[in-house]
Amino acid sequence: MRKAFINFNIFIIIIFLLTNTTYSREVSGASDVREISGEVVWTKDKSPYMITDVLIIKPGASLVVESGVEMLISEGKDIYVMGEIHLNGTTENPVILRQAQDSLRWGALCIEKASGSSLLSHVVIDGASFGKDSNLFRAAVSVRDSDITMYNVVFNNVFEGVYVNRGNATIANCTFSGNNLGEQVSVKNGSATVENCFFYGTTGGDAIDFEGVSGGTIRDCVIFSSDDDGIDIGAFSSDSSIIATNV
């Protein structure tokens, strides 16, 4: 199981490096989209999609992104979700979110008081920073008062990976590398399961930080090179368990 997990993430990183050669390609997908209402599907045949302004997914709406879609996001721009977002990548064709121009970081995927649960499966997130309000949305994926499930997501060259406040999160088979400002997974005042994840090069905080978490689980994770704690079960956390984690 672990061998297959590691092989998948090596495969994803190779795909990302091979496709990360230029940002000057013609953009055939949506440009300057600002709001989504109803159900919208983004398809590979119209990829890449350029996001040049804040993209808002309204309450009750959903954005479904098919495998192989690439989203190029302008400097400092966020994807703000009050409905649902489903990024449905595959091993061979992940969904990729990255900056539209090299070295110019985009903002964050911000999910707040969402009307439904969101899913990220087989996704590469590269070059993200934080949301417009960096106190509320401080990580590449920031979740407030909402539920999210994440499988096989690779975080590369982001400031912080995942921040969940008053929400429920399942984070499995994910890779966090090259993150350099704070915790890679931080959960406060909610519940979370973090399992079969790989953490490398945490230089600004804990790899995994739980605070005020009830019923959290950290299982079968591998943590290398964390400047602070590999795992920090902080104040007001209860009934949280750590099972077979290598630090």
Side-chain angles (χ1 to χ4, degrees):
M1 176 69 178
R2 181 171 299 280
K3 182 177 180 181
F5 159 61
I6 293 173
N7 286 342
F8 161 75
N9 286 293
I10 291 173
F11 178 77
I12 287 297
I13 291 170
I14 290 172
I15 288 178
F16 177 74
L17 292 174
L18 289 174
T19 58
N20 193 26
T21 56
T22 178
Y23 294 98
S24 61
R25 292 178 297 161
E26 180 182 356
V27 174
S28 59
S31 178
D32 200 24
V33 176
R34 297 186 180 183
E35 286 191 353
I36 287 177
S37 57
E39 181 175 325
V40 174
V41 180
W42 286 3
T43 58
K44 184 179 179 180
D45 63 307
K46 293 184 179 179
S47 178
Y49 288 80
M50 175 68 78
I51 298 174
T52 60
D53 205 339
V54 176
L55 174 63
I56 299 173
I57 302 172
K58 299 174 73 172
S62 65
L63 173 61
V64 177
V65 179
E66 294 184 350
S67 63
V69 167
E70 187 175 16
M71 301 161 68
L72 304 181
I73 308 171
S74 294
E75 182 182 12
K77 302 306 180 184
D78 301 329
I79 301 172
Y80 186 73
V81 181
M82 293 180 286
E84 302 177 29
I85 188 167
H86 298 266
L87 307 182
N88 298 326
T90 64
T91 301
E92 295 80 10
N93 293 289
V95 172
I96 297 175
L97 285 69
R98 65 183 184 189
Q99 63 267 50
Q101 293 178 287
D102 197 8
S103 79
L104 298 180
R105 292 183 178 274
W106 60 282
L109 173 58
C110 307
I111 304 174
E112 183 174 31
K113 297 180 180 178
S115 57
S117 298
S118 290
L119 170 68
L120 279 61
S121 178
H122 296 87
V123 177
V124 175
I125 296 177
D126 182 75
S129 56
F130 39 73
K132 184 176 181 180
D133 187 334
S134 59
N135 292 318
L136 298 180
F137 306 108
R138 64 188 229 192
V141 177
S142 296
V143 180
R144 294 177 56 82
D145 300 293
S146 305
D147 297 338
I148 189 168
T149 299
M150 303 173 60
Y151 297 123
N152 297 296
V153 179
V154 174
F155 291 84
N156 181 61
N157 187 32
V158 305
F159 289 159
E160 297 189 31
V162 179
Y163 176 61
V164 179
N165 193 337
R166 299 192 302 272
N168 302 301
T170 298
I171 304 168
N173 300 330
C174 295
T175 297
F176 299 83
S177 64
N179 304 348
N180 53 16
L181 277 186
E183 280 80 23
Q184 301 201 43
V185 173
S186 177
V187 182
K188 299 183 184 300
N189 309 312
S191 65
T193 296
V194 182
E195 59 183 350
N196 294 317
C197 291
F198 179 84
F199 298 84
Y200 178 78
T202 307
T203 59
D206 308 321
I208 304 172
D209 180 64
F210 281 5
E211 183 176 336
V213 172
S214 177
T217 299
I218 301 169
R219 178 189 298 115
D220 295 332
C221 292
V222 178
I223 301 172
F224 287 107
S225 183
S226 178
D227 281 356
D228 203 341
D229 299 323
I231 298 172
D232 186 351
I233 305 297
F236 308 110
S237 294
S238 62
D239 300 321
S240 293
S241 59
I242 303 172
I243 305 170
T245 293
N246 297 319
V247 179

